[in-house]
Amino acid sequence: MRRTKSSMVMFKRIALVALMSVVAQGAWAEKLPLNAISSYLNGLKTAQGTFTQINDDGSASTGNIWIKRPGKMRFEYNAPDEGLVIAAANAVYIIDKKSNQGPETYPLRRTPLSLILARNINLSKANMVVGHSFDGTATVVIAQDPENPEYGNIQMKFTSNPVELRQWVVNDSGGGSTTVILGELTKGGTIANRLFNVPSRGN
């Protein structure tokens, strides 16, 4: 059966609701303190797993993610997207594998992802956290660069026992929002630096 574009978007949204209901399992009584979340993020040196991304227009993508703190992250998208996003060398690179053009490049410090990838994370720093709540299933933390709030913010969700980062929403300086829902992360171990090398061409 051939699906129309509108039916595909609806299908993806239904799948997202189902996925988020799984993430929400295992509710607990109260929100995590900021120092516990800071300690968790500082201890997250390497991790890899899968993700689902919901874009500002409601479309969805899936792929694999690698995190190597400080400063490195790789999103490798599954077909039909087949895109690549790499954070490395203090920049974020967006690579279109179907294009002969070089990657789009943005300073990492101007994106909310820099708050996750910083060498030392201290969420108790003045004016960094602008929201800290419990939604019934997870602790929700909204953080920004206290010196440059115009860069946007990142909304992170954490569950406990043990503390785990489950998803984040990047609200960028242009008013767009991108949600990343994490699958189970395999933490620790060695991740080769070559994964964060940026190709000069999309292909």
Side-chain angles (χ1 to χ4, degrees):
M1 176 180 176
R2 184 178 180 182
R3 294 191 178 96
T4 64
K5 182 177 181 180
S6 60
S7 67
M8 283 296 294
V9 170
M10 181 62 68
F11 175 79
K12 290 174 178 177
R13 286 177 175 168
I14 292 171
L16 170 63
V17 171
L19 178 60
M20 293 185 72
S21 69
V22 172
V23 170
Q25 293 176 1
W28 36 272
E30 59 186 17
K31 68 182 179 182
L32 290 162
L34 293 178
N35 61 353
I37 295 173
S38 295
S39 295
Y40 163 80
L41 290 173
N42 284 321
L44 188 66
K45 301 303 183 185
T46 59
Q48 55 186 302
T50 59
F51 72 91
T52 298
Q53 177 174 305
I54 310 302
N55 302 306
D56 202 35
D57 63 359
S59 62
S61 306
T62 61
N64 294 292
I65 184 173
W66 290 263
I67 301 170
K68 189 172 185 177
R69 299 187 54 258
K72 296 182 178 68
M73 188 177 290
R74 176 186 176 103
F75 297 88
E76 190 169 306
Y77 293 83
N78 295 329
D81 301 281
E82 296 183 345
L84 185 63
V85 175
I86 293 175
N90 298 314
V92 176
Y93 304 88
I94 302 175
I95 298 105
D96 181 355
K97 294 182 178 180
K98 300 175 183 178
S99 171
N100 289 324
Q101 301 299 313
E104 295 180 38
T105 307
Y106 303 91
L108 178 59
R109 64 181 177 82
R110 289 181 174 268
T111 74
L113 279 180
S114 63
L115 299 171
I116 294 178
L117 296 177
R119 183 175 297 277
N120 295 302
I121 298 172
N122 179 11
L123 294 175
S124 297
K125 185 176 180 180
N127 300 319
M128 175 174 283
V129 171
V130 295
H132 181 207
S133 61
F134 177 69
D135 68 2
T137 61
T139 296
V140 181
V141 174
I142 303 174
Q144 64 181 15
D145 181 343
E147 298 179 1
N148 299 282
E150 70 275 12
Y151 292 167
N153 63 60
I154 186 167
Q155 176 181 298
M156 300 171 283
K157 284 194 174 187
F158 299 86
T159 54
S160 67
N161 300 319
V163 180
E164 294 284 355
L165 175 61
R166 296 298 184 178
Q167 75 172 60
W168 66 72
V169 181
V170 170
N171 300 300
D172 62 39
S173 59
S177 295
T178 303
T179 300
V180 172
I181 302 168
L182 298 172
E184 291 300 319
L185 290 178
T186 300
K187 295 180 285 293
T190 300
I191 297 178
N193 283 330
R194 61 178 174 78
L195 279 176
F196 308 100
N197 292 341
V198 179
S200 58
R201 291 288 183 269
N203 58 356

